[in-house]
């Protein structure tokens, strides 16, 4: 993921921090602390494959900062995982938990693997091996992992079970994003999309965008992108473009896809082509590439895939007025500059996708207090947190005359500095 320095996610993260520190005239000692993770854990996981052979996989856990609470953040299974990526993601988690003001810190983990190449039993052994490697450093009051790209509630369940075996004690609060049966929270599966949608509505309100006249393109059809598509469609927004990791479709007429199409993509999971584009006789949909989709005409571009999607190379050609970052790090700092010159509003990842970790925090609370909240209760607690964070970020941007990302960083770094001085 980091072929050249410009797109090294950790360097990008640090340049965002430097910019914030300058504006805040941040205390040097605080800055230095925020420039380094507190602990880096690495392991080579040995996993028995179904054919009897053993294979080794590189695994990481970075515990970036716990000044505001236990380290918190997902575990990613992806072939492009790297140490610098995990470091960047764990730093962004530190900022994110501070932006929404939940009492958690920042951490992240990852394994270099394409999980689609593994059988279920291999995946289970790999996930249990991850827990075995790092469990001494994890725990409800130490470090609480969660799902991220290509990790599921099933994987969280295996890890929670392995933790119980290793410590001799059942502690579901060691990990979030579990299945409901294993102590997961209702509403955690849709939380990232829910939170992002509150942010979209708040921005639409500020910019006076009416749903029916607002065309949305969504890149990425995993948990966040697919659920977001459904919410936006139901609220009357026009979804004119969608993509997954392989395919992209676009409606140049700008009318928006019909609901059944959106639902069928979601039901089938991954590939957009399964929606049988030719069957939609009433609409002309066009295949395009994932890269070209980003540059199509629309009002709101939702980035729900991976890092470094909008860079200095394509930023000039983005036609959207608003970008919502449901993925982590999809817009690079160089692209941010170009987009700001175009007056494009970017709702940054550390705000727009914070619904996921916020409901993870609710799950952790329920586990610790031995409670079970209804879905309605979860949603009614998520909305005010997202709305408040949005307003605070918006007002900070006005106060410092800056973009929303820098504003979110200012807000978070102030909170972190306060906690670190204590
Ligand atoms: N992986 C998600 C994120 O990047 C969720 C983390 C969590 O729930 O701890 O925010």
């Amino acid at each position: 993921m980091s072929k050249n320095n410009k797109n090294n996610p950790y360097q990008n993260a640090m340049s965002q921090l430097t910019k914030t520190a300058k504006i805040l005239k941040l205390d040097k000692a605080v800055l230095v602390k925020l420039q380094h993770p507190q602990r880096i854990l690495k392991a080579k996981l040995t996993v028995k494959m179904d054919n009897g052979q053993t294979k080794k996989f590189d695994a990481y856990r970075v515990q970036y900062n716990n000044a505001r609470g236990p380290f918190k953040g997902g575990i990613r299974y992806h072939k492009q995982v790297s140490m610098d990526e995990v470091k960047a993601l764990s730093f962004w988690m530190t900022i994110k938990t501070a932006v929404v003001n939940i009492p958690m810190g920042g951490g992240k983990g990852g394994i270099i693997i394409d999980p689609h190449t593994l059988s279920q039993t291999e995946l289970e052994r790999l996930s249990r091996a991850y827990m075995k490697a790092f469990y001494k450093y994890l725990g409800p009051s130490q470090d609480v992992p969660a799902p991220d790209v290509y990790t599921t509630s099933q994987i969280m369940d295996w890890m929670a079970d392995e933790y119980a075996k290793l410590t001799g004690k059942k502690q579901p609060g060691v990990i979030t994003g579990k299945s409901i049966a294993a102590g997961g929270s209702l509403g955690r599966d849709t939380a990232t999309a829910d939170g992002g949608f509150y942010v979209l509505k708040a921005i639409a309100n500020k910019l006076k965008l009416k749903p029916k006249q607002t065309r949305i393109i969504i890149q990425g059809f995993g948990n966040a992108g697919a659920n977001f598509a459904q919410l936006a469609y139901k609220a009357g927004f026009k979804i004119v473009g969608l993509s997954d990791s392989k395919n992209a479709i676009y409606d140049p007429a700008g009318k928006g896809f019909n609901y059944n199409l959106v639902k069928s993509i979601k039901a089938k999971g991954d590939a957009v082509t399964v929606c049988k584009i030719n069957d939609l006789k009433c609409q002309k949909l066009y295949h395009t590439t994932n890269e070209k989709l980003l540059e199509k005409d629309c009002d709101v571009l939702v980035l729900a895939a991976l890092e470094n999607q909008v860079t200095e190379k394509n930023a000039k050609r983005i036609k959207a007025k608003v970008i919502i970052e449901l993925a982590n790090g999809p817009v690079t700092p160089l692209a941010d500059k170009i987009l700001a010159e175009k007056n494009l509003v970017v709702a940054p990842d550390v705000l727009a996708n914070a619904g996921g970790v916020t409901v993870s925090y609710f799950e952790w609370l329920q586990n610790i207090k031995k409670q079970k909240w209804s879905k309605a209760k979860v949603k009614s607690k998520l909305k005010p947190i997202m709305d408040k964070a949005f307003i605070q970020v918006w007002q900070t941007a006005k106060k410092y005359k800056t973009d929303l990302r820098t504003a979110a960083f200012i807000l978070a770094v102030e909170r972190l500095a306060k906690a670190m001085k204590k």
Side-chain angles (χ1 to χ4, degrees):
M1 209 154 284
S2 39
K3 278 187 210 114
N4 59 46
N5 288 344
K6 265 184 209 156
N7 286 338
N8 177 309
Y10 190 57
Q11 287 176 11
N12 286 347
M14 289 303 103
S15 85
Q16 292 160 345
L17 174 64
T18 310
K19 186 174 171 189
T20 312
K22 265 190 204 146
I23 296 171
L24 284 175
K25 299 194 178 62
L26 189 66
D27 184 286
K28 188 80 209 276
V30 173
L31 175 61
V32 170
K33 272 196 179 160
L34 285 176
Q35 282 167 331
H36 302 279
Q38 287 177 222
R39 183 185 274 139
I40 290 178
L41 302 165
K42 276 192 228 179
K44 273 225 186 284
L45 308 181
T46 308
V47 179
K48 199 164 179 218
M49 308 308 279
D50 290 345
N51 64 8
Q53 290 176 346
T54 55
K55 264 196 187 170
K56 287 191 188 302
F57 299 95
D58 287 302
Y60 310 107
R61 183 76 187 166
V62 175
Q63 300 183 322
Y64 206 95
N65 189 287
N66 65 354
R68 300 184 62 265
F71 302 106
K72 184 83 195 84
I75 302 169
R76 176 174 295 200
Y77 287 5
H78 199 283
K79 54 181 189 285
Q80 287 177 0
V81 162
S82 68
M83 180 50 102
D84 271 355
E85 184 194 47
V86 179
K87 275 163 74 180
L89 291 164
S90 65
F91 170 74
W92 286 325
M93 286 307 303
T94 305
I95 298 292
K96 194 185 298 184
T97 49
V99 169
V100 282
N101 214 359
I102 55 173
M104 292 274 169
K108 200 88 178 193
I111 306 180
I112 305 178
I113 174 71
D114 176 357
H116 303 110
T117 61
L118 300 183
S119 70
Q120 278 296 101
T121 45
E122 289 166 344
L123 196 60
E124 176 172 355
R125 287 195 288 273
L126 177 74
S127 304
R128 289 183 183 276
Y130 186 94
M131 191 44 100
K132 253 182 226 138
F134 299 132
Y135 79 97
K136 284 192 183 128
Y137 301 92
L138 307 176
S141 55
Q142 287 186 72
D143 182 356
V144 186
D148 195 71
V149 174
Y150 295 147
T151 45
T152 57
S153 58
Q154 172 65 79
I155 292 173
M156 301 303 113
D157 290 359
W158 286 327
M159 288 189 178
D161 182 64
E162 191 62 30
Y163 187 79
K165 279 189 186 148
L166 292 161
T167 58
K169 203 173 150 204
K170 218 177 151 195
Q171 290 182 84
V174 66
I175 201 160
T176 60
K178 301 176 294 292
S179 69
I180 306 300
S185 177
L186 289 165
R188 176 63 187 84
D189 50 348
T190 58
T192 308
D194 287 332
F197 191 63
Y198 295 137
V199 171
L200 169 67
K201 284 212 284 200
I203 289 184
N205 199 18
K206 291 276 179 205
L207 303 184
K208 304 200 170 24
L209 299 174
K210 295 210 177 68
K212 280 206 172 87
Q213 284 134 34
T214 304
R215 297 158 303 158
I216 303 188
I217 287 177
I218 302 167
Q219 183 206 32
F221 220 73
N223 170 283
N227 284 309
F228 188 95
Q230 196 147 16
L231 287 170
Y233 183 85
K234 272 194 183 159
F237 288 92
K238 302 285 169 225
I239 297 164
V240 298
L242 287 172
S243 71
D244 64 6
S245 60
K246 295 176 203 83
N247 305 288
I249 47 171
Y250 176 65
D251 167 22
K255 283 190 193 144
F257 301 160
N258 74 33
Y259 187 49
N260 293 331
L261 169 58
V262 177
K263 268 205 304 207
S264 78
I265 296 170
K266 188 174 187 287
K268 299 271 166 52
D270 45 13
V272 169
T273 44
V274 300
C275 64
K276 291 188 197 139
I277 288 159
N278 297 334
D279 283 0
L280 292 167
K281 292 184 191 100
C282 56
Q283 288 183 310
K284 260 197 176 165
L285 304 176
Y286 288 87
H287 276 283
T288 179
T289 64
N290 215 308
E291 293 89 63
K292 280 189 192 142
L293 182 69
L294 305 184
E295 300 171 13
K296 298 284 183 198
D297 207 7
C298 69
D299 303 296
V300 178
L301 177 61
V302 179
L303 300 171
L306 290 169
E307 301 93 271
N308 299 335
Q309 301 302 302
V310 179
T311 67
E312 79 283 2
K313 291 200 182 103
N314 61 355
K316 270 198 201 86
R317 296 191 296 273
I318 301 291
K319 295 189 188 66
K321 301 182 189 83
V322 176
I323 287 181
I324 308 271
E325 294 186 330
L326 284 191
N328 290 307
V331 177
T332 66
L334 286 176
D336 259 341
K337 261 194 183 165
I338 299 168
L339 299 176
E341 281 160 17
K342 288 168 41 141
N343 278 328
L344 204 143
V345 178
V346 180
D349 46 9
V350 292
L351 168 69
N353 72 30
V357 71
T358 302
V359 177
S360 269
Y361 163 59
F362 297 162
E363 178 174 333
W364 176 83
L365 270 184
Q366 291 170 75
N367 292 155
I368 284 169
K369 296 184 180 174
K370 298 196 170 25
Q371 294 177 348
K372 281 219 174 283
W373 300 357
S374 68
K375 201 180 217 170
K377 178 165 175 175
V378 168
K379 287 208 174 181
S380 74
K381 282 182 168 285
L382 174 62
K383 188 171 188 303
I385 290 180
M386 293 305 300
D387 287 347
K388 187 169 177 189
F390 174 81
I391 289 293
Q392 288 176 333
V393 169
W394 189 268
Q395 286 169 348
T396 306
K398 290 274 168 288
K399 181 172 159 193
Y400 288 90
K401 295 188 175 47
T402 180
D403 56 285
L404 296 180
R405 186 186 321 280
T406 310
F409 269 66
I410 289 172
L411 199 65
V413 169
E414 277 179 334
R415 286 175 181 160
L416 281 157
K418 213 169 141 197
M420 282 154 85
K421 276 179 192 148
K422 268 198 187 152

